[in-house]
Amino acid sequence: MFSRVTRRLANRRLSLLAYDSTSITVNIEGKDVSFDNVFLRDSCTSPDSVDISTSQKSFTTASISRGLNISEKPYVGDQDGEKTLFVKWQQGSDAHDSAYTESFLKKALTLKSRFEGKFFPEEKVYWRNKDLVPKLGDLKVDYNAYFAKDEVFKKVVNNLNKYGLSFIENVEDPLKDPKLDAIKPENEHLWPVSKLAHRFGYIKKTFYGVLFDVKNEKNAKNIANTNVFLPLHMDLLYYESPPGLQLLHFIQNTTLGGENIFADSFAAGYHIRDTDPAAYEALKKVPITYHYNNNNEYYYYLRPLIVEDPYVKNFTNGEPQIKEVNYAPPFQGPFEFHVTSSEDAELWQDFLRGMRLFEDFINDPNNTYEVKLPEGSCVIFDNRRVLHSRNQFSDSNGGDRWLMGTYVDGDSYRSKLRKLNQS
């Protein structure tokens, strides 16, 4: 379409090649690329398009898509020392000037570059025991350094993206503060687990409260508040928006047993995808009932075991990536679909096979990390990825077990992940 001379003159710098009522074609980094006009106009960040104070758009995509034209030939010039494409738009009697820097257009070239700095799929490690244990030293940070040093907090945030796990050591002892004999509205912000959570932004309050105790209780309303074996699971899957992070501070942990177990559900999901694609597809389609119907509360939600991200792929191999896993056997209710033999029996059998494969993987000690966390430590984990469990325990040795927990929304965590990794 364009002569060799034109291509040579471009010399891998931004240059205009053509334009019409639908697109503008430029040469950038030696490539000829046609950008859609509506995309360009919609991306304009001039003060007439995006408010300087709020950084929010002052128009709608539909409104600027009607009768959009280019009134003059676009051109490439310099703006603040960077090659920039200048465009004059016309919509009826309304004129608008836009400027698109070379760096913006380069970022718009590929899906990978567009998502850069927003999602970090290539940094994730889908782990088994042999992958995690050698990295435990990197997953542990000091409590005071967590607050005092931004690079330490950044390490925690990146570890949560990479492994879904992080451990805080040397957490201050709340039992030394007489004001912290119990959780009260006036002292919630003083508890160490609350301070740790607020480093991410804000706490997600649930019907369990802002903070919650994990203790062995008589007539408990949640299996977590007993001493029996608690199988691998995620929390609050009966919520429309389950929390992204969970924090558990081990205030007392001297009972017999009670070891915590963690497993990477994403590793299990990808294992099934690679070994039994039909079962994997069924795990994406069959909804599981999650509910909490107790203590004057009735929460209910349907969700499949595996949810893939519909937009963000693995940028290395182009494969779909798992966005979240939903697994919490103690909080499952009766299935609503595939109840009778007439409801796609083949899909149901694929699903059951997938569930067996999933449980075989996550319950294999080779694929889990078991630890008796010491008093004065706190674990932070991705509640949409990392499964957690607890062995049965006994206080027959005179020991006590008291954990305090809280939740953080995934959105708050991901905001920190993006900001801390902004170049």
Side-chain angles (χ1 to χ4, degrees), residues 18 27 48 51 86 90 99 112 137 148 180 194 202 235 247 262 264 269 279 304 347 366 375 391 398 403 405-406 408:
N27 184 279
D48 291 336
D51 184 83
F86 295 92
Q90 192 73 40
K112 177 180 179 180
L180 301 183
S194 175
Y202 58 91
D235 279 18
L247 295 84
F262 302 96
D264 187 349
L347 178 66
N366 291 315
E375 295 178 348
N391 285 334
L403 281 59
T406 194
V408 172

Side-chain angles (χ1 to χ4, degrees), residues 174 183 191 193 211-217 224-226 230 246-255 257-260 262 371-379 381 388-390 393 400-406:
I183 300 173
W191 290 90
V193 72
L211 309 177
F212 54 88
D213 287 324
V214 183
K215 295 180 177 179
N216 185 18
E217 299 175 350
N225 290 326
T226 68
L230 178 62
Q246 181 170 176
L247 295 84
L248 290 173
H249 175 203
F250 289 75
I251 299 173
Q252 295 177 318
N253 198 25
T254 55
T255 56
E259 296 85 3
N260 283 88
F262 302 96
V371 60
K372 178 86 175 224
L373 285 165
E375 295 178 348
S377 64
C378 179
V379 61
F381 56 92
H388 64 289
S389 171
R390 181 206 63 224
F393 65 92
D400 288 309
R401 192 174 192 275
W402 175 18
L403 281 59
M404 185 174 290
T406 194

Side-chain angles (χ1 to χ4, degrees), residues 207 238-239 289-301 334 336:
F207 71 89
Y238 39 80
Y239 267 47
T289 304
Y290 290 105
H291 70 166
Y292 180 90
N293 187 7
N294 196 358
N295 201 29
N296 293 318
E297 305 281 356
Y298 189 10
Y299 289 82
Y300 176 99
Y301 209 83
E336 308 288 8

Side-chain angles (χ1 to χ4, degrees), residues 179-217:
K179 299 190 296 294
L180 301 183
D181 57 329
I183 300 173
K184 302 172 185 175
E186 63 269 21
N187 70 19
E188 287 170 340
H189 65 287
L190 298 176
W191 290 90
V193 72
S194 175
K195 297 176 184 178
L196 288 164
H198 276 105
R199 191 80 159 94
F200 292 96
Y202 58 91
I203 287 175
K204 181 182 179 74
K205 184 178 181 179
T206 71
F207 71 89
Y208 293 114
V210 174
L211 309 177
F212 54 88
D213 287 324
V214 183
K215 295 180 177 179
N216 185 18
E217 299 175 350

Side-chain angles (χ1 to χ4, degrees), residues 53 82 87-88 109 114 150 158 168 199 209 226 285 303 351 353 369 373 380 392 395 404 406 420:
S53 175
E82 185 175 9
V87 183
K88 288 184 176 292
L109 282 177
R114 287 173 218 146
D150 289 342
N158 282 322
I168 314 299
R199 191 80 159 94
T226 68
K285 294 176 182 177
R303 42 184 23 113
F351 167 78
R353 190 171 67 255
Y369 172 57
L373 285 165
I380 308 175
Q392 183 176 353
D395 60 4
M404 185 174 290
T406 194
L420 290 171

